[in-house]
Amino acid sequence: SSTDPYFTQDGVSRTYDLYHRVFRPYFDQDTYSLETTGVSARFGIPMTERDTIFVGGGVERTTVVPGTYLPVAYQNYANEFGYASTGVPLTVGWARDDRDSALVPTSGVFQRASAEWSPGGEVRYVRGVYQYQQYIPLTKQYTFAFNGDLGLAQAPDGRTYPLFKNFYSGGLGSVRGFEAGSLGPRDPATGLVIGGTKKVNVNFEVQAPFPGAGNDRTLRMFGFIDAGNVYGPDESFSTESFRSSAGVGISWISPMGPLRLAFATPIRRFDSD
């Protein structure tokens, strides 16, 4: 990736991405894998002091490499569109940030909405994500933080939705205390998680200074409760199916960048998890 934050004198940013990603669910080299190669360009356009619009486009090609544990859903998709398929993702987004700090916020709201549309190639879909964060100072040292994350996707004109564009949940950044990407629909033949076209996550945190750190906000501890799940195209959002967890953690703005370590335990799970 290459980013020029001041592509124009008005503060328009430009980012070029060139990528090749390989996903393999197990370390065994005989298992199936997904390989995606693509290129894209994105521009960030400041509209106000706190609002930014993002637009971009690209081309990517995804290949389903057959192997053991290949989910039936992926096999059916390959039978319909082939093992290699091309998409033309076009993106548009908006972000508003009025937090008092981007790294260690204690007050304010951050919102982000984005949409992705692929109108060409074999891979055609519409995908949208909305995120809302709010920070409320309880005292000079304690902060309450809320995060909500919603995702929706579908294929147009009754087409089959590309499974490799599914949402996943579980682990850091969503519902901590569960394995990464372990929530949501599973393949009936292999039992592997295949993700879904809908997701919702909510996170509640109370942040406090780390003992001995004084008022240093670069080193904090926090307690949290998470909840959420992922749903397939034929399922509806339902809080009755939410998984949830609770735990504690530490955040540190280190010289290498922000680090977060969390310990969590599920407080609502199902036998399929």
Side-chain angles (χ1 to χ4, degrees):
S1 295
S2 174
T3 299
D4 182 352
Y6 293 100
F7 175 59
T8 70
Q9 293 182 352
D10 296 328
V12 174
S13 65
R14 181 193 63 191
T15 299
Y16 290 136
D17 295 315
L18 176 64
Y19 53 89
H20 178 74
R21 300 191 298 262
V22 179
F23 167 76
R24 183 176 288 109
Y26 297 104
F27 290 109
D28 186 351
Q29 295 296 314
D30 293 331
T31 63
Y32 83 96
S33 63
L34 302 175
E35 298 185 3
T36 302
T37 301
V39 60
S40 67
R42 292 175 285 122
F43 297 88
I45 307 169
M47 306 302 293
T48 69
E49 191 173 324
R50 302 188 182 279
D51 295 271
T52 304
I53 298 294
F54 300 92
V55 294
V59 178
E60 63 180 20
R61 186 167 181 82
T62 299
T63 302
V64 180
V65 181
T68 56
Y69 303 110
L70 180 66
V72 173
Y74 278 103
Q75 183 64 64
N76 293 338
Y77 186 86
N79 292 339
E80 184 175 357
F81 298 104
Y83 285 97
S85 52
T86 301
V88 186
L90 308 177
T91 58
V92 61
W94 161 81
R96 170 176 288 177
D97 190 352
D98 64 0
R99 298 171 296 178
D100 60 344
S101 170
L103 290 177
V104 286
T106 60
S107 65
V109 174
F110 173 78
Q111 297 181 74
R112 177 171 52 194
S114 63
E116 185 175 323
W117 173 44
S118 177
E122 299 84 8
V123 182
R124 301 192 182 190
Y125 62 92
V126 178
R127 195 172 186 261
V129 175
Y130 174 70
Q131 184 180 24
Y132 179 91
Q133 295 180 345
Q134 184 167 9
Y135 298 86
I136 302 174
L138 302 177
T139 68
K140 290 184 177 181
Q141 294 183 318
Y142 294 85
T143 302
F144 172 77
F146 168 79
N147 175 74
D149 193 9
L150 176 69
L152 295 170
Q154 67 176 23
D157 304 323
R159 294 171 62 95
T160 301
Y161 184 80
L163 299 171
F164 40 82
K165 288 294 182 177
N166 275 348
F167 296 110
Y168 291 84
S169 183
L172 287 173
S174 55
V175 185
R176 291 160 284 194
F178 292 84
E179 290 186 8
S182 63
L183 304 185
R186 292 177 178 266
D187 181 68
T190 63
L192 291 178
V193 178
I194 58 175
T197 57
K198 310 179 190 75
K199 75 166 181 177
V200 59
N201 294 313
V202 291
N203 312 98
F204 305 89
E205 285 188 4
V206 174
Q207 303 171 353
F210 192 81
N215 292 323
D216 183 7
R217 295 190 178 277
T218 64
L219 180 60
R220 307 274 285 172
M221 63 180 184
F222 55 89
F224 62 86
I225 295 177
D226 298 338
N229 204 357
V230 174
Y231 304 89
D234 299 327
E235 298 177 301
S236 301
F237 286 116
S238 172
T239 56
E240 295 181 358
S241 62
F242 271 16
R243 275 61 165 174
S244 59
S245 63
V248 295
I250 299 174
S251 63
W252 177 37
I253 309 300
S254 75
M256 297 180 294
L259 300 176
R260 288 173 69 87
L261 175 66
F263 173 81
T265 181
I267 55 179
R268 189 183 188 194
R269 63 184 305 168
F270 295 84
D271 293 339
S272 59
D273 297 334

